[in-house]
Amino acid sequence: QVQLVESGGGLVQPGGSLRLSCAASGSIFSIDAMGWYRQAPGKERELVAVITSGGTTNYQDSVKGRFTISREKNTVSLQMNSLQPEDTAVYTCHAAVKRTKYAWREDCWGKGTLVTVSS
């Protein structure tokens, strides 16, 4: 079993900041990419940011310059600055996990944390 536990969501005013964290634990040999997705009401889930095991990052265009993804071992964080109402969504952590050296990579997901940007 692999668990991804997120923390850090909440209510923030436009222009404010939040930091999300996600810790992976359980039967893990290695983790390739870790990232954050979000789903706003009435919309499909979208990739926000991803970071590989080597530290390469990629961001959705709408968050470039405002969000920063970082990673330390099996924990990934998302620093969100200059938040706007359109950033309101459920943010979910993702990890591409190998449970053993020769296992296939598995997609593991957290339960999600709500971020609400409103005055």
Side-chain angles (χ1 to χ4, degrees), residues 33-37 46-71 76-79:
M34 298 187 78
W36 291 92
Y37 289 72
E46 61 182 6
L47 175 66
V48 177
V50 63
I51 184 168
T52 68
S53 57
T56 300
T57 59
N58 194 28
Y59 297 90
Q60 182 191 111
D61 285 346
S62 68
V63 307
K64 286 180 180 178
R66 301 188 298 124
F67 291 10
T68 302
I69 191 169
S70 60
R71 176 176 172 179
V76 63
S77 298
L78 186 68
Q79 177 66 41

Side-chain angles (χ1 to χ4, degrees), residues 14-115:
S17 298
L18 279 177
R19 184 176 180 87
L20 306 181
S21 291
C22 170
S25 63
S27 179
I28 298 171
F29 173 78
S30 66
I31 300 179
D32 295 338
M34 298 187 78
W36 291 92
Y37 289 72
R38 69 184 180 186
Q39 186 168 19
K43 295 187 177 181
E44 294 191 355
R45 184 169 63 187
E46 61 182 6
L47 175 66
V48 177
V50 63
I51 184 168
T52 68
S53 57
T56 300
T57 59
N58 194 28
Y59 297 90
Q60 182 191 111
D61 285 346
S62 68
V63 307
K64 286 180 180 178
R66 301 188 298 124
F67 291 10
T68 302
I69 191 169
S70 60
R71 176 176 172 179
E72 184 169 347
K73 294 184 179 179
N74 293 344
T75 298
V76 63
S77 298
L78 186 68
Q79 177 66 41
M80 305 185 294
N81 299 328
S82 302
L83 283 161
Q84 300 301 319
E86 52 266 32
D87 295 316
T88 295
V90 174
Y91 285 71
T92 305
C93 176
H94 168 267
V97 176
K98 293 184 69 174
R99 297 196 189 189
T100 67
K101 183 177 181 180
Y102 301 106
W104 294 102
R105 281 184 307 187
E106 297 179 31
D107 290 319
C108 298
W109 298 90
K111 293 183 178 181
T113 185
L114 178 62
V115 171

